[in-house]
Amino acid sequence: MARRIFRALSVAGFCIAALPLAQAKPVQHEREVSVLGSYIKPDKDRVDDYGTAMRAMYSHRLSQHWWLEPQFFAGIFETGVDGGTDFYQQGLGADFNYRLFGPETFSPYVSIGGGVSRNDVFNSSGSEFNGYANAALGFISSPFSKSGLRLRADARYLWDAFEEDYSDLHFSLGLTVPIGATRTRIVEKTVVIEKPVVVEKNLADSDGDGVVDGVDQCPNTLEGLEVNAVGCVETNQVQTVILQGVTFEFNSDRLTANAKDILISTADALKGQTDLKVELAGYTDSQGSAGYNRELSQKRADAVRNYLLDLGVAPEQLTATGYGEANPVRSNDTEEGRERNRRVEFNVVSDTVGEGA
């Protein structure tokens, strides 16, 4: 019965050890303690049927793979017969243990060592001290708890010099606990820089025209236009700004998506000052005939006007004129210059000029 139980535990131990225990964090340590229970298959020359033992081991790391393991074990051999003589055995020694991998993962190992044994037969006053040697093949599982707890199992051949020399097999299963373990963590350092932000409501200038919001009567003024003391565009003088980013699809009067986004702020500026009247002047580069370019520039100026009307600008505020390749702002000899010449300008229509006409 004991043999069947131990075999079941051994199979379960190997299955558990093979599972990926990714939940546990890697634990680094130099020392550990193991406690194992053993089932003993006695030497065929013994009269005993089976044996059990407990083994306590202290492990100290010597190098990357080698460990020194002082240990103590105590066991009893059973005859399996009522009234039969029991046989007691203890041992104190040390093993050199070679582990294939580190303490943070599943690792097979081999051990070899020896020490002093004590053998005692029940109801016998005599006891004898002898030497023993052993060799083991086993494994230690990956950690399966936050403290680094690991499963350990091995099969051990133990030779004892008592009497006629006995060779027993120990099959052991137990737990290993690290001592002085340090947990490896990957920490992302976050640096928070706090900058005080002081906003005085009366000094805020949302449209950047130089007039604070508390005084500004014409919000959303386009950048580059001169304004009066209350933040409205001066309409008694001619002013021009280029609508940067207002572009069209190749050889077309169709506005790009980016151009439409930019024109939203232009519409807000016009709706914020209803007495502001502007000419939308369209220009092209010098590629193509003058007549074609003038027609294309007119279509593009009209396209800008129509989109601003769709955004709610009053029709009387807008006129559209195409000037073709006239009035270049850069040389048409370079691609960069031609790109700059393909533009739409926002020309303020002066009240003074209107009255003189």
Side-chain angles (χ1 to χ4, degrees), residues 17 46 63 68 97 115 133 161 172 186 195 201 214 241 259 265 317 344 357:
R46 293 184 185 274
S63 65
L68 177 64
N97 176 271
S172 303
I186 300 176
K195 294 184 178 180
K201 184 175 181 181
V241 293
S265 60
Q317 290 184 261
V344 175

Side-chain angles (χ1 to χ4, degrees), residues 76-285:
I76 181 172
F77 293 93
E78 303 282 356
T79 62
V81 178
D82 292 340
T85 302
D86 293 329
F87 184 93
Y88 297 91
Q89 182 186 53
Q90 299 91 38
L92 180 64
D95 287 354
F96 287 101
N97 176 271
Y98 182 87
R99 301 182 187 180
L100 191 60
F101 306 120
E104 69 281 355
T105 185
F106 172 85
S107 180
Y109 68 81
V110 293
S111 294
I112 188 169
V116 178
S117 64
R118 176 180 180 272
N119 296 273
D120 188 13
V121 180
F122 185 68
N123 291 330
S124 174
S125 59
S127 63
E128 188 172 346
F129 287 89
N130 296 276
Y132 79 89
N134 65 183
L137 177 65
F139 71 86
I140 302 180
S141 75
S142 302
F144 58 85
S145 72
K146 292 182 178 180
S147 62
L149 200 65
R150 308 172 75 188
L151 187 71
R152 179 167 182 168
D154 64 36
R156 184 178 302 267
Y157 170 84
L158 190 146
W159 173 84
D160 192 343
F162 177 65
E163 292 183 345
E164 299 178 358
D165 301 341
Y166 292 117
S167 299
D168 305 314
L169 294 178
H170 290 224
F171 300 95
S172 303
L173 179 66
L175 296 175
T176 296
V177 183
I179 301 174
T182 57
R183 191 171 306 281
T184 302
R185 294 182 180 178
I186 300 176
V187 179
E188 294 183 1
K189 184 177 181 180
T190 302
V191 178
V192 179
I193 301 176
E194 296 184 359
K195 294 184 178 180
V197 178
V198 179
V199 178
E200 297 185 29
K201 184 175 181 181
N202 293 334
L203 299 180
D205 181 11
S206 300
D207 56 8
D209 61 0
V211 180
V212 297
D213 292 348
V215 179
D216 199 339
Q217 297 180 12
C218 298
N220 305 311
T221 303
L222 286 180
E223 183 179 356
L225 294 177
E226 293 186 13
V227 298
N228 56 26
V230 293
C232 295
V233 176
E234 294 281 8
T235 59
N236 60 354
Q237 59 184 7
V238 176
Q239 299 188 61
T240 298
V241 293
I242 296 175
L243 298 179
Q244 299 288 353
V246 176
T247 56
F248 302 84
E249 296 182 9
F250 178 73
N251 200 28
S252 168
D253 61 347
R254 184 177 299 172
L255 289 162
T256 63
N258 183 60
K260 291 181 178 180
D261 291 339
I262 293 173
L263 288 175
I264 291 174
S265 60
T266 304
D268 291 339
L270 290 165
K271 289 187 289 185
Q273 186 176 347
T274 56
D275 65 334
L276 177 62
K277 296 179 175 57
V278 299
E279 177 194 43
L280 301 168
Y283 293 93
T284 67
D285 58 30

Side-chain angles (χ1 to χ4, degrees), residues 9-27:
L9 290 173
S10 299
V11 171
F14 277 96
C15 292
I16 293 172
L19 291 175
L21 301 174
Q23 294 85 351
K25 300 289 184 181
V27 174

